[in-house]
């Protein structure tokens, strides 16, 4: 069984685009039991950088009212998918797909949090404080290589309130895309295990979106988890967008994260339909290829079970109410 930290299927459905990675029926047959389904209010698309180094500017903020309208439409698309909305770890079962409604960027939440509880009642169970931009709560990292996440200010007062309210309700707070100061603000404030749903090891790939060893250690000490991102630009040492990147690059990050954090803190966070991933993997139907690569690299049954679903389920159990 596979539980995964991130996909952008909903955005494609909303835009009426073909999906490249997330054929739900093929995914289900390949053992995909679901995971985090992003409700991402998109910034205007810019071309992917073709040269390294690169430093894209931080996209403009998106006003709350507009983001709230788009999020409604995205959520409606999620609800039309043949999935179960996940509100308990027990919702993840072999043979069906359970979707965690995950806001990637908190712009649809009112700065006074007045609509947070109604989102919760409708099934929202995870919020990434930022995508890679600035909002009323926090600031994200711009896409840069090579660069660290050390840029910009920490959480606003509203951001700190959102973390407290999320803890209270049992909504997971996702640290992927958040900048350095914001990360440590959440680490100090949050009572829940720290989670980065789709990020990699900065020591192996110096993209601003990846996590330094200090961040990884803070996550493991909190009992949290990092979902390994399959985006080739966050995997490769050279940062280039090369579809021919082998599955072994994913295993390289898993190995490193397990070394630094321990086997209980590493999981998948594919970024399917949100990024260029190794073409050898293809999409969600390729999960078994990745699992067999892990077995060949020496991971036994128990280790594989932890990486593929048990670590995610443990963190959801500790976070949700
Ligand atoms: Zn993302």
């Amino acid at each position: 069984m596979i539980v995964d930290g991130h996909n952008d299927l909903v955005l494609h459905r909303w835009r009426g685009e073909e999906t490249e990675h997330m054929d739900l029926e093929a995914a289900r047959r390949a053992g995909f039991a679901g995971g985090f389904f992003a409700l991402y209010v998109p910034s205007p698309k810019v071309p992917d950088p073709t040269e390294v180094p690169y430093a894209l500017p931080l996209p403009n903020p998106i006003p709350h009212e507009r983001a709230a309208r788009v999020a409604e439409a995205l959520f409606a698309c999620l609800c039309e998918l043949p999935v179960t909305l996940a509100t308990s770890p027990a919702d993840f079962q072999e043979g069906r797909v359970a979707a965690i409604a995950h806001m990637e960027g908190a712009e649809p939440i009112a700065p006074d949090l007045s609509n947070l509880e109604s989102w919760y009642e409708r099934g929202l169970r995870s919020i990434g404080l930022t995508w890679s931009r600035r909002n009323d709560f926090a600031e994200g990292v711009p896409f840069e290589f090579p660069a660290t996440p050390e840029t910009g200010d920490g959480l606003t007062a509203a951001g700190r309130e959102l973390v407290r309210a999320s803890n209270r309700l049992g909504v997971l707070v996702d640290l992927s895309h958040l900048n350095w100061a914001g990360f440590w603000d959440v680490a100090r404030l949050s009572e829940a295990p720290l989670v980065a749903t789709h990020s990699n090891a900065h020591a192996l790939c110096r993209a601003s979106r990846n996590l330094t060893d200090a961040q990884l250690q803070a996550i493991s000490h909190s009992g949290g988890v990092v979902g390994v991102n399959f985006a080739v630009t966050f995997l490769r040492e050279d940062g280039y967008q090369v579809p021919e990147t082998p599955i072994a690059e994913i295993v390289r990050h898993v190995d490193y994260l397990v070394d630094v954090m321990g086997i209980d803190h590493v999981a998948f966070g594919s970024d399917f339909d949100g990024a260029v991933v190794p073409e050898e993997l293809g999409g969600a139907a390729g999960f078994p290829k990745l699992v067999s690569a892990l077995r060949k690299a020496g991971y036994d049954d128990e280790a594989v079970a932890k990486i593929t679903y048990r670590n995610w389920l443990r963190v959801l159990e500790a976070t949700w109410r």
Side-chain angles (χ1 to χ4, degrees):
M1 175 160 109
I2 307 278
V3 176
D4 180 62
H6 191 91
N7 75 70
D8 282 302
L9 174 59
V10 172
L11 178 67
H12 286 262
R13 284 297 162 97
W14 176 63
R15 284 176 165 161
E17 293 171 353
E18 287 294 308
T19 56
E20 189 185 349
H21 303 140
M22 290 294 298
D23 174 335
L24 277 180
E25 183 50 30
R28 191 185 60 77
R29 284 195 305 269
F32 177 67
F36 294 74
F37 282 57
L39 306 175
Y40 163 63
V41 178
S43 284
K45 208 167 162 39
V46 297
D48 290 327
T50 54
E51 290 297 323
V52 175
Y54 59 83
L56 302 184
L58 213 54
N60 289 328
I62 295 184
H64 161 65
E65 290 74 17
R66 195 170 105 224
R69 276 197 307 276
V70 174
E72 288 301 327
L74 291 165
F75 187 65
C77 289
L78 172 60
C79 292
E80 280 170 15
L81 293 174
V83 298
T84 307
L85 265 193
T87 56
S88 152
D91 290 330
F92 293 93
Q93 290 170 24
E94 233 154 312
R96 71 173 199 189
V97 176
I100 301 167
H102 164 72
M103 223 173 243
E104 187 177 28
E107 287 89 346
I109 302 296
D112 65 0
L113 312 188
S114 54
N115 63 350
L116 179 64
E117 278 188 37
S118 69
W119 268 106
Y120 177 84
E121 280 158 19
R122 295 155 75 202
L124 185 74
R125 288 296 181 275
S126 176
I127 298 178
L129 297 179
T130 60
W131 186 68
S132 283
R133 60 193 174 213
R134 196 173 291 128
N135 62 30
D136 289 317
F137 306 101
E139 183 171 331
V141 287
F143 293 98
E144 290 186 33
F145 186 100
T148 71
E150 295 172 71
T151 166
D153 296 327
L155 301 192
T156 65
R160 292 193 293 275
E161 276 311 309
L162 180 52
V163 172
R164 289 190 195 100
S166 297
N167 282 174
R168 215 157 44 228
L169 281 170
V171 172
L172 184 145
V173 175
D174 177 24
L175 300 166
S176 286
H177 289 276
L178 189 60
N179 66 358
W180 180 262
F183 178 99
W184 293 109
D185 283 344
V186 177
R188 272 188 295 273
L189 202 63
S190 181
E191 289 160 6
L194 300 177
V195 171
T197 55
H198 59 307
S199 294
N200 291 339
H202 193 271
L204 301 187
C205 169
R206 289 173 298 150
S208 53
R209 273 276 285 107
N210 287 340
L211 300 163
T212 67
D213 287 359
Q215 291 178 304
L216 298 174
Q217 281 154 2
I219 291 171
S220 58
H221 290 155
S222 77
V225 73
V226 172
V228 173
N229 192 318
F230 304 166
V232 297
T233 49
F234 302 152
L235 289 170
R236 296 171 62 88
E237 192 174 0
D238 65 13
Y240 272 94
Q241 191 164 90
V242 182
E244 296 80 17
T245 300
I247 288 173
E249 281 292 294
I250 301 173
V251 177
R252 191 171 76 98
H253 280 263
V254 170
D255 286 345
Y256 185 86
L257 294 172
V258 168
D259 274 352
V260 174
M261 308 174 75
I263 191 68
D264 292 325
H265 306 288
V266 185
F268 294 151
S270 68
D271 219 342
F272 280 143
D273 280 324
V276 173
V277 306
E279 64 182 14
E280 185 188 355
L281 187 65
F287 272 124
K289 288 187 202 167
L290 175 55
V291 170
S292 77
L294 289 176
R295 288 188 191 284
K296 278 200 197 97
Y299 293 90
D300 63 15
D301 286 349
E302 194 190 359
V304 167
K306 286 180 173 182
I307 293 169
T308 51
Y309 70 95
R310 271 171 40 194
N311 290 340
W312 271 132
L313 297 190
R314 182 196 76 240
V315 165
L316 295 177
E317 182 74 51
T319 304
W320 289 351
R321 301 259 175 269

